[in-house]
Amino acid sequence: MNDNQMINHFPNHYELSRKDLLVKNIKRYRKDLERDGNGLAEKAESNWSNSASTRYLHLDFVPITFVLPADYNMFVEEYRKNPQSTWIMKPCGKSQGAGIFLINKLSKLKRWSREAKNAFHPQIAKESYVISRYIDNPLLIGGKKFDLRLYVLVTSFRPLKAYLFKQGFCRFCTVKYDTSVTELDNMYVHLTNVSVQKHGTEYNSLHGGKWSVQNLALYLEGTHGKEVTDRLFGSISWLIVHSLKAVAPVMANDRHCFECYGYDIIIDNNLKPWLVEVNASPSLTSTTVTDRILKYKLIDNILSVVLPPDGVPE
């Protein structure tokens, strides 16, 4: 590329945005820190859902996740520790809620594998999936589940230079949260993607089921206090930084490249944030007037950071 050219993607951004590779890179990052005796990799006993295990004290920001078909046996071992648990299946290379479903029984997974014609046969399988422990205790507002969409601009991975856009938003489900088995297949209860929710009868096109991060912060300060709210947003920044540090060694760094990532984060009812996924091409389509203003500001902010002070290169 010429000196005056820039591109809005890093060549192998999929190391961060593909669900299976993100998990692999975070696991490797933890192991490397552990091997070096770094305090960030400190572990503690965890008693998740009555099954004893160890967890990372400072880097426990992704739910327990396995890549299928490769990790099938490891998944079964983990599942059997706590057979009452619910898990969420996602195809690695898809977005907008496509192909996602929940399971709470191994038989359902085996039946799906048969119907998908050898989905778990490593020699035949064309597409890999991730299966993650479902965050079944999400923070609810008005009885509804939501997640956060935050925008992170990266201009360099080595050294790491990242900017968090202050005006993210929450995306709400249109149907009240319900953990009963009968609602396990109801995606309007469980998936916050606008591409899914907009087809529901309860969808409101005026506000698009969205709420600004500023409104969320005000709500949390009112219900939980400022100190707790500040700690939550500090944990979210920590999560973002360490997910980027996890992929930095394998990223093809190029001074001509920059990229805006869409981070999807769920907050549980203990006010702990969990990284769901990272999108390399977050939607810039607006569903409401507020949405259009936010995304206009986002693009304006990105350009003001990546372009030289005197404007567009000649």
Side-chain angles (χ1 to χ4, degrees):
M1 291 182 78
N2 296 331
D3 278 350
N4 64 344
Q5 290 179 309
M6 299 185 84
I7 189 163
N8 64 328
H9 286 294
F10 285 90
N12 59 337
H13 58 75
Y14 47 79
E15 294 284 355
L16 181 65
S17 60
R18 251 188 83 105
K19 300 170 186 76
D20 53 343
L21 296 179
L22 172 63
V23 168
K24 185 190 83 174
N25 285 316
I26 288 173
K27 286 180 179 176
R28 192 203 62 246
Y29 177 62
R30 290 163 168 171
K31 286 277 188 312
D32 289 349
L33 290 171
E34 217 172 329
R35 194 184 59 242
D36 297 341
N38 193 308
L40 285 175
E42 189 184 345
K43 286 180 174 178
E45 288 297 317
S46 166
N47 195 25
W48 170 61
S49 294
N50 305 317
S51 64
S53 59
T54 58
R55 68 176 187 88
Y56 288 90
L57 270 178
H58 310 294
L59 298 172
D60 181 34
F61 55 78
V62 285
I64 298 169
T65 301
F66 300 95
V67 179
L68 300 181
D71 300 338
Y72 181 73
N73 291 336
M74 283 193 286
F75 160 69
V76 171
E77 190 182 323
E78 185 66 36
Y79 174 86
R80 285 188 173 139
K81 288 180 191 172
N82 188 29
Q84 280 75 46
S85 55
T86 301
W87 295 75
I88 185 164
M89 280 276 287
K90 300 177 181 181
C92 290
K94 290 185 180 172
S95 59
Q96 298 188 335
I100 295 177
F101 61 95
L102 273 60
I103 67 148
N104 62 348
K105 287 188 173 66
L106 270 181
S107 55
K108 184 174 179 180
L109 188 59
K110 287 171 180 170
R111 187 173 69 248
W112 172 83
S113 179
R114 282 196 305 273
E115 289 169 2
K117 294 184 181 162
N118 298 304
F120 290 164
H121 194 293
Q123 277 74 44
I124 301 172
K126 288 185 170 60
E127 183 172 42
S128 55
Y129 281 72
V130 291
I131 188 161
S132 304
R133 177 172 66 80
Y134 184 60
I135 305 297
D136 56 7
N137 62 327
L139 177 66
L140 304 178
I141 296 179
K144 293 175 181 176
K145 179 183 172 180
F146 68 95
D147 76 349
L148 279 177
R149 163 55 62 89
L150 298 175
Y151 297 99
V152 177
L153 170 66
V154 178
T155 56
S156 166
F157 277 96
R158 293 185 303 278
L160 181 60
K161 289 183 186 173
Y163 305 80
L164 174 62
F165 185 57
K166 287 182 178 175
Q167 295 183 40
F169 53 86
C170 308
R171 300 179 298 188
F172 282 83
C173 287
T174 51
V175 179
K176 288 197 171 183
Y177 187 67
D178 187 340
T179 53
S180 64
V181 177
T182 53
E183 294 292 355
L184 209 59
D185 295 326
N186 187 344
M187 291 299 115
Y188 298 122
V189 171
H190 298 287
L191 290 190
T192 57
N193 309 60
V194 175
S195 50
V196 172
Q197 294 295 333
K198 69 182 180 185
H199 300 294
T201 53
E202 300 292 317
Y203 181 72
N204 182 320
S205 57
L206 285 176
H207 56 63
K210 292 177 180 176
W211 220 28
S212 71
V213 166
Q214 285 75 14
N215 279 345
L216 174 67
L218 284 171
Y219 171 82
L220 292 175
E221 282 177 22
T223 52
H224 294 78
K226 190 169 190 320
E227 189 182 335
V228 172
T229 303
D230 288 347
R231 196 183 310 133
L232 166 65
F233 281 96
S235 298
I236 289 172
S237 297
W238 171 273
L239 171 165
I240 291 168
V241 166
H242 286 283
S243 64
L244 293 172
K245 287 180 83 167
V247 301
V250 294
M251 277 293 191
N253 206 36
D254 188 311
R255 65 191 179 87
H256 297 279
C257 299
F258 67 93
E259 194 151 28
C260 176
Y261 298 106
Y263 269 71
D264 292 345
I265 293 164
I266 279 189
I267 302 165
D268 69 21
N269 59 12
N270 299 309
L271 291 199
K272 175 177 171 55
W274 295 93
L275 176 59
V276 177
E277 64 184 46
V278 184
N279 300 276
S281 297
S283 170
L284 294 176
T285 309
S286 52
T287 52
T288 66
V289 174
T290 308
D291 213 25
R292 187 169 74 246
I293 294 167
L294 180 143
K295 285 168 180 173
Y296 179 90
K297 284 181 181 171
L298 171 66
I299 295 167
D300 187 53
N301 273 225
I302 290 169
L303 293 177
S304 68
V305 171
V306 301
L307 290 179
D310 54 348
V312 182
E314 290 179 6

